[in-house]
Amino acid sequence: MKHTVSVLLSSVLAVGAITTAVFAQQPKLPPPDDWHATGRYLPEYTSDGDLVLPKNFHEWVYVGSPLTPNFLNPPQANFPEFHNVYIEPGSYEIYKKTGVFPEGTIFVKELQLMLPADRADGTRQEPSGRGFFPGPFNGADVTVKDTKRYPKTNGWGYYNFNHFEPKAATAKVRPLEECAYCHIASAKRDDVWTQFYALLDSVPVPADQKKK
């Protein structure tokens, strides 16, 4: 009888040890709101200093899509399409907690053409209703915050990965007069157009950064 109990106890302990070992090998998932644990995707550069097109940005946090069609910006809009804007998730988590875009923040603005209008006012009729509808992708722009790397453009670097498809794999930083100038002059918060993105604009401004 004692032998049987001993065998059973040994079996139970063995199973327990195996189970513990299996669970120990499983990856420990961090808390969903812990950006320290989840990590961040930071900018990648080539040996020549060109920026690499960010990976998997469609999986990032989507903040909004301004639209600038040609017929509302005669004779032709500089960017006649939807601008689908994404922010790197780890940077967004920090921004939500601090109200400040951290160093290494990346924004991707993917351009997307409108489907052709079939009404005089520039709209289009679709089974879902009448309005403006997105069509093919049309390139992308990327913005990176790095106050040491981009002192000439107020701490943000601006890149164009083509205004057509396919997107370029890498891009060179653009000069002040191309993009940074408008951001510095008119963007609401830290050279970012937060006034157009409720998700970003709703984050409280730190007390020490409020305008007096």
Side-chain angles (χ1 to χ4, degrees):
M1 181 66 179
K2 290 182 179 180
H3 177 70
T4 302
V5 172
S6 177
V7 170
L8 289 174
L9 180 59
S10 298
S11 299
V12 170
L13 291 175
V15 170
I18 293 172
T19 302
T20 301
V22 169
F23 277 102
Q25 293 175 8
Q26 299 300 314
K28 293 182 179 180
L29 297 178
D33 198 37
D34 187 351
W35 61 267
H36 292 285
T38 57
R40 297 170 62 195
Y41 176 92
L42 295 174
E44 296 182 272
Y45 299 92
T46 68
S47 58
D48 295 328
D50 295 349
L51 182 68
V52 176
L53 181 68
K55 299 177 177 65
N56 303 319
F57 66 84
H58 287 129
E59 300 173 13
W60 292 7
V61 178
Y62 167 74
V63 299
S65 293
L67 171 64
T68 55
N70 282 330
F71 75 92
L72 291 180
N73 298 270
Q76 181 173 327
N78 290 329
F79 308 100
E81 62 257 312
F82 290 90
H83 300 165
N84 305 323
V85 179
Y86 302 85
I87 183 174
E88 188 274 321
S91 302
Y92 176 62
E93 290 299 324
I94 299 173
Y95 174 71
K96 285 194 300 181
K97 291 176 171 66
T98 65
V100 176
F101 295 110
E103 295 289 317
T105 294
I106 308 174
F107 283 99
V108 175
K109 178 177 72 177
E110 185 171 41
L111 313 178
Q112 189 170 18
L113 295 170
M114 288 175 53
L115 290 178
D118 59 12
R119 297 292 188 274
D121 63 356
T123 61
R124 178 182 178 90
Q125 185 68 44
E126 289 289 344
S128 60
R130 184 171 170 180
F132 305 105
F133 297 90
F137 291 129
N138 197 42
D141 294 318
V142 176
T143 308
V144 176
K145 183 174 182 178
D146 188 327
T147 53
K148 292 183 179 180
R149 194 180 189 97
Y150 309 112
K152 295 181 180 179
T153 48
N154 210 34
W156 290 86
Y158 299 85
Y159 295 83
N160 167 235
F161 288 83
N162 294 340
H163 286 172
F164 53 85
E165 291 292 316
K167 300 173 183 65
T170 63
K172 296 185 180 301
V173 68
R174 310 310 299 171
L176 173 68
E177 59 271 15
E178 281 196 22
C179 298
Y181 180 82
C182 287
H183 282 254
I184 294 170
S186 303
K188 182 177 180 180
R189 190 166 169 178
D190 192 11
D191 296 356
V192 177
W193 303 97
T194 58
Q195 62 263 48
F196 303 136
Y197 309 110
L199 190 69
L200 302 179
D201 209 37
S202 62
V203 175
V205 177
D208 62 351
Q209 294 190 17
K210 291 182 179 179
K211 294 181 181 180
K212 299 180 179 180

